[in-house]
Amino acid sequence: MRRTLTTRRVIVVGLLATLIACGPSAGSPPAPQSSDPPMTRVPIIVDADFDLSDIAAILVLLRDPAVDVRAITIAGTGLVHCQAGRLLTRYLIDELGSPDIPFGCGREDGGADAHPFPDDWRSRADEAYGLNIPPQAEAGLPRDAVEVLAATVESSPSAPTIVALGPLTNLEDAFAADATLADRVAGIHAMLGTIDAPGNVFVNGLDAGDPLEWNAYADPSAVAAVFATDVPISIVPLDATDDVPVPVDLADRLADDHQAGGADLMYESLIRNPGRMRPEDGQQLWDELAALTLSDSDLVAWDDAAVIAEDDGRLTRDDAGRIVRFAVSADRAAVETGLLTALRRGEPRATPFRLAGSLSASFDGATCALSGTSDETGLHVVEYEGMAGTPSGIAIVGVRPPYRWEQLLVLLPTLDPTVAPPDWVVAGPVADDQAGTGQPVTGAGDLDEGTYGPVCFTGTWPDLVYTVGIPFQAGAGAVGAAQ
């Protein structure tokens, strides 16, 4: 999983701040080699910190006929905090019909050399990236990740493989708590680090020239502790994931067939988070590739390397280091095909996704136009096309009764971006063309009952100029273009 800080969201953040308060050896990958389902499914434990790539990987693994997901543990030192992570885990396993999978969360503070993920990234993870998770009642007390790991290894019919998609803190703690645990694990298969590829950590003065990846950088001492064990380790580093950017048309491909639960959840996550498909955001199929290669190792080319885990999270080639198996490169076409196949396995989810409305917006420098349909309340997608050469975008903004649209028009020019606006101002979908390409961009957001309208903006934050279009009633049907 690993993401880079970009400036693409500057306009959006500014506008929203204005509008709303806001078992194998080290010589082989721990995976079956045949593309045919084995007679006995491989037991695995998934350890994740639940970014969008982690979620997609879990959807793949829960429906993979070659593996048996025995438990899920949440890396509290990664993106999601424990309470939100537990709710999201419960939601995913319930949606895909696997409610009996045990799960737990580990500590939220890494070692002395830890580098916490940026707060805004963690907030998005805690919000489940917009997924509409209903209130849930957890049975019993929240479980600790170390306890879940130990109990699952003990009860597994054979030595399980740990699929690590986040920082390795839970693994460090579990191995420290029980010196025999590492000997009873078949292997670790991790999305982790970089061997020879540029890094993707762009904080604290770091750039691509620093060979660092977020899972390793977040808690370096945990990586060193795990590497000090004798557990066979295979990693899918940036060397391979750099070959598989998220396809720009992935949502369109899924739109044709998303009946299966995994495909439907993936489709919804992309509709709610279209930035995953924007090349300028640098998004890769990080954890998806790790999940897919667990049962189809031929998707990547493998090599062995002796590496040392440095105290800042770097994985450095060194003859004195331990041997790890790592994915050198990936077959992009085969990975994309494999991902769609994996997501389309199995039955529908418990609560299939419905798109409540589809809107089309444009701004020509004078008119902020909006058309389309709003058939019911809920998630709406908006496609926006602005002017080439001018940064611009659109926000669908509403008012809560008893306030009226006219009152928003009066308020808008007076808003102070450093002060939270009134709570009767509601922000819906936002789509921004910060680069001023003039090409269509998409955004999504929920609309409740009430009056909404398009607010087009041009310029760069904080110097934005607003143009307001004609309002409409959410859920009332056709939306007419502004004149």
Side-chain angles (χ1 to χ4, degrees):
M1 103 187 108
R2 299 313 91 130
R3 27 207 78 83
T4 57
L5 282 173
T6 69
T7 58
R8 190 192 67 77
R9 286 291 182 188
V10 171
I11 285 183
V12 174
V13 171
L15 183 62
L16 290 180
T18 303
L19 297 177
I20 187 171
C22 328
S25 67
S28 63
Q33 298 300 301
S34 172
S35 59
D36 297 325
M39 294 300 293
T40 302
R41 299 164 69 198
V42 176
I44 66 170
I45 300 168
V46 180
D47 186 73
D49 69 343
F50 288 87
D51 78 334
L52 284 166
S53 189
D54 284 36
I55 293 171
I58 290 171
L59 299 178
V60 168
L61 294 169
L62 286 174
R63 291 288 172 85
D64 188 340
V67 304
D68 176 16
V69 180
R70 309 281 300 180
I72 297 174
T73 52
I74 303 159
T77 55
L79 278 169
V80 77
H81 290 92
C82 280
Q83 177 58 16
R86 285 190 288 264
L87 292 174
L88 180 52
T89 304
R90 167 56 63 195
Y91 178 69
L92 293 177
I93 62 178
D94 284 351
E95 284 292 290
L96 290 193
S98 303
D100 296 330
I101 294 176
F103 58 90
C105 189
R107 57 186 165 99
E108 295 187 349
D109 296 316
D113 55 0
H115 307 98
F117 284 90
D119 289 341
D120 58 333
W121 295 5
R122 302 204 73 176
S123 294
R124 286 292 294 148
D126 288 345
E127 295 165 356
Y129 301 95
L131 291 174
N132 187 20
I133 299 179
Q136 300 168 357
E138 287 288 347
L141 295 174
R143 299 181 67 184
D144 178 71
V146 171
E147 182 267 325
V148 171
L149 275 164
T152 304
V153 171
E154 180 67 27
S155 64
S156 180
S158 60
T161 294
I162 298 175
V163 181
L165 307 177
L168 302 186
T169 313
N170 288 337
L171 280 62
E172 174 191 24
D173 290 350
F175 294 154
D178 182 349
T180 73
L181 192 68
D183 295 332
R184 293 180 284 138
V185 172
I188 295 169
H189 182 73
M191 193 280 122
L192 184 79
T194 178
I195 303 297
D196 299 313
N200 71 345
V201 177
F202 294 85
V203 297
N204 302 327
L206 299 169
D207 57 32
D210 298 287
L212 291 165
E213 178 274 328
W214 267 103
N215 282 346
Y217 181 68
D219 196 0
S221 60
V223 180
V226 172
F227 273 41
T229 71
D230 293 327
V231 179
I233 297 176
S234 292
I235 63 173
V236 179
L238 298 182
D239 305 68
T241 64
D242 281 352
D243 292 337
V244 284
V246 177
V248 296
D249 62 345
L250 184 55
D252 292 335
R253 293 196 221 176
L254 286 168
D256 295 334
D257 178 6
H258 58 98
Q259 298 301 310
D264 196 46
L265 273 161
M266 183 70 169
Y267 179 63
E268 179 182 356
S269 76
L270 292 171
I271 292 297
R272 292 184 179 276
N273 301 273
R276 266 220 91 192
M277 298 175 290
R278 291 176 184 147
E280 62 267 29
D281 277 13
Q283 297 282 308
Q284 312 293 323
L285 296 172
W286 293 292
D287 303 289
E288 293 95 335
L289 185 61
L292 291 167
T293 53
L294 189 65
S295 56
D296 189 355
S297 62
D298 291 338
L299 292 172
V300 298
W302 297 92
D303 198 0
D304 296 330
V307 299
I308 291 177
E310 305 283 2
D311 58 9
D312 61 354
R314 299 168 193 254
L315 303 183
T316 304
R317 290 180 181 267
D318 192 308
D319 290 341
R322 70 155 299 159
I323 299 296
V324 300
R325 184 78 158 164
F326 77 99
V328 179
S329 60
D331 183 332
R332 179 174 178 177
V335 170
E336 292 179 8
T337 299
L339 176 61
L340 290 172
T341 299
L343 291 170
R344 287 170 173 154
R345 290 190 181 111
E347 299 299 315
R349 62 193 277 198
T351 56
F353 169 62
R354 286 179 58 85
L355 190 62
S358 181
L359 303 170
S360 178
S362 64
F363 183 62
D364 60 6
T367 302
C368 183
L370 187 70
S371 61
T373 59
S374 177
D375 297 322
E376 55 188 284
T377 60
L379 186 66
H380 287 61
V381 64
V382 58
E383 182 178 87
Y384 169 77
E385 185 171 344
M387 302 173 292
T390 302
S392 67
I394 189 168
I396 308 301
V397 183
V399 294
R400 289 193 174 96
Y403 292 90
R404 302 184 309 278
W405 179 253
E406 292 75 16
Q407 290 171 284
L408 177 64
L409 299 183
V410 174
L411 175 68
L412 192 60
T414 69
L415 287 176
D416 182 343
T418 65
V419 178
D423 60 7
W424 53 268
V425 178
V426 185
V430 175
D432 66 288
D433 178 15
Q434 182 182 8
T437 65
Q439 298 299 309
V441 292
T442 60
D446 289 300
L447 298 183
D448 297 324
E449 290 185 3
T451 301
Y452 289 82
V455 178
C456 295
F457 53 91
T458 57
T460 57
W461 179 257
D463 300 317
L464 298 177
V465 177
Y466 301 120
T467 302
V468 181
I470 295 176
F472 65 95
Q473 293 297 310
V479 176
Q483 301 298 320

